[in-house]
Amino acid sequence: MELNNKTLLKIGISIFILFLLFTYWSGISTFLIKFIAISSPIIIGLIIAYILNILMSFYEKHIKKANRIICLILSILTLLVIIFAVLALLIPELISSIKLIAERFPIALSNITEILKKYDLPSKDYSSLISNFDLKSKVNQIISVLTSGITNIFGVVFSVFSGIVTIFLSFMFALYVLNGKDKLKSQSKRVLKAYLPSKIYEKILYTLNVLDESFHSYIVGQCTEAIILGSLCAIGMMVLRLPYALMIGSLIALTALIPIAGAYIGGFLGAFMIFTVSPIKALIFIIFLIILQQVEGNLIYPRVVGSALGLPGLWVLAAVTIGGGLLGIIGMLIAVPITATVYKIIKADVNKREQLKILQN
């Protein structure tokens, strides 16, 4: 690369920007956090708009005569039906699970003690602990501590009201974005094309298209995979005559939305619930879940999600691990499609360079 004045100026500006970032990072990070908090209605609105646009695109593709408003209304109704159906199915089950755990926890301790005594393993006498243990009173104590810590009821009311306003503004912003998405897309392209060189404009456009394709495929595929896994779990538990089949199947379907580790979280909770009834049945459930996870990981996930994303399993695991370490559950959710986007772009660039070398030789 020729080191002319223009190149040296770019290098100097880059070094100066990096110096400012390292020197004033605490102030910059504080500003970014405040900016994100202020912009939260817009950010949430864009997320809602993107999810609704998946449904909206489906209706626009399959209902030729329907206009934009009708497809938008159908998308909103579909999303609301899905949310209410999930809540109606899961909330009663989760409440029942919490009550069941609270009632069966002493029994689980008793079962563990009996197993340890049966095989002459070292154990303490849990009988006094079990007889004196009252989980409900402990829960009430925790609740009383939490409620006593709320000294300003107006602050709580304001927080709830602020959350409702944020959700309302986000939803309204999403509706405006979806209603004028074609115009916004056209205007964005014109601005980028006017201010950027042609090569950079094409690269940005290509990257955004690949990113959109990856997120679209991931959201649809992950939801489909979660439903399939939860259904297979519930059906298998019914065949094996294991208790709480629908409850645990629903729980696994919900937790399976988190890639790789999600179903194991639901499986652990399910195994504990079954253990309170019968340790043998809990062992059968664990074996069944391990087999189901192998089938899901080798057959269902590669076909439903993996083939759509085009991302090998190794990179999926790496993306989930790093994303979860950086941003928690949110990082685990967004890391896979972002990694898939980078993987596709690098793969396409490598293929292009290889073809150029072949032609040159």
Side-chain angles (χ1 to χ4, degrees), residues 188-199:
S188 301
K189 285 184 177 180
R190 287 179 59 190
V191 171
L192 291 175
K193 198 170 185 179
Y195 289 98
L196 296 175
S198 299
K199 289 185 178 180

Side-chain angles (χ1 to χ4, degrees), residues 5-284:
N5 292 332
K6 188 176 181 180
T7 303
L8 291 173
L9 179 62
K10 289 181 180 179
I11 295 173
I13 292 173
S14 300
I15 294 174
F16 180 69
I17 291 173
L18 288 174
F19 171 76
L20 291 178
L21 286 174
F22 281 111
T23 306
Y24 301 102
W25 176 246
S26 59
I28 293 172
S29 60
T30 303
F31 170 77
L32 289 175
I33 292 172
K34 289 183 179 179
F35 179 78
I36 292 173
I38 295 171
S39 306
S40 59
I42 297 176
I43 297 172
I44 297 172
L46 290 174
I47 295 173
I48 295 173
Y50 188 84
I51 295 173
L52 281 173
N53 187 57
I54 296 175
L55 298 170
M56 191 173 172
S57 300
F58 173 82
Y59 285 122
E60 288 177 339
K61 181 179 179 180
H62 291 85
I63 306 177
K64 302 294 183 181
K65 296 182 180 180
N67 57 25
R68 173 65 52 80
I69 300 298
I70 294 176
C71 292
L72 179 57
I73 293 173
L74 289 174
S75 303
I76 295 171
L77 291 176
T78 303
L79 184 62
L80 290 176
V81 168
I82 293 173
I83 292 174
F84 283 122
V86 171
L87 292 178
L89 178 65
L90 289 180
I91 287 179
E93 299 292 347
L94 289 175
I95 293 174
S96 300
S97 301
I98 294 171
K99 290 181 178 179
L100 178 67
I101 291 173
E103 294 173 358
R104 297 278 184 172
F105 186 75
I107 300 176
L109 285 177
S110 177
N111 290 336
I112 294 173
T113 304
E114 292 298 326
I115 292 173
L116 293 176
K117 288 181 178 179
K118 181 178 180 181
Y119 293 98
D120 296 326
L121 295 174
S123 64
K124 296 180 180 180
D125 185 10
Y126 291 101
S127 57
S128 60
L129 175 64
I130 295 171
S131 60
N132 296 326
F133 186 82
D134 188 358
L135 184 60
K136 292 182 179 180
S137 65
K138 299 297 182 182
V139 172
N140 291 331
Q141 289 177 9
I142 294 172
I143 293 173
S144 64
V145 170
L146 292 175
T147 53
S148 62
I150 302 173
T151 57
N152 191 354
I153 190 65
F154 294 103
V156 177
V157 173
F158 178 78
S159 298
V160 173
F161 179 74
S162 177
I164 294 173
V165 171
T166 299
I167 294 173
F168 176 77
L169 291 176
S170 302
F171 189 73
M172 294 303 297
F173 183 77
L175 294 182
Y176 277 108
V177 169
L178 289 173
N179 190 41
K181 65 176 184 177
D182 293 333
K183 188 176 181 179
L184 288 172
K185 186 177 181 180
S186 175
Q187 290 175 342
S188 301
K189 285 184 177 180
R190 287 179 59 190
V191 171
L192 291 175
K193 198 170 185 179
Y195 289 98
L196 296 175
S198 299
K199 289 185 178 180
I200 296 178
Y201 167 76
E202 294 295 335
K203 288 182 179 179
I204 291 176
L205 205 63
Y206 171 72
T207 302
L208 290 176
N209 287 332
V210 176
L211 191 65
D212 174 59
E213 180 184 347
S214 298
F215 268 94
H216 184 281
S217 301
Y218 174 74
I219 292 172
V220 175
Q222 195 69 34
C223 292
T224 305
E225 188 263 348
I227 294 172
I228 293 173
L229 183 61
S231 301
L232 289 177
C233 180
I235 293 171
M237 290 180 67
M238 290 179 183
V239 172
L240 295 173
R241 299 183 181 278
L242 297 176
Y244 316 118
L246 292 177
M247 182 189 301
I248 296 174
S250 303
L251 187 62
I252 287 182
L254 180 63
T255 56
L257 293 174
I258 304 173
I260 304 297
Y264 289 103
I265 298 172
F268 173 78
L269 296 174
F272 180 80
M273 286 188 287
I274 297 175
F275 184 82
T276 59
V277 177
S278 170
I280 300 299
K281 289 185 177 181
L283 179 62
I284 294 173

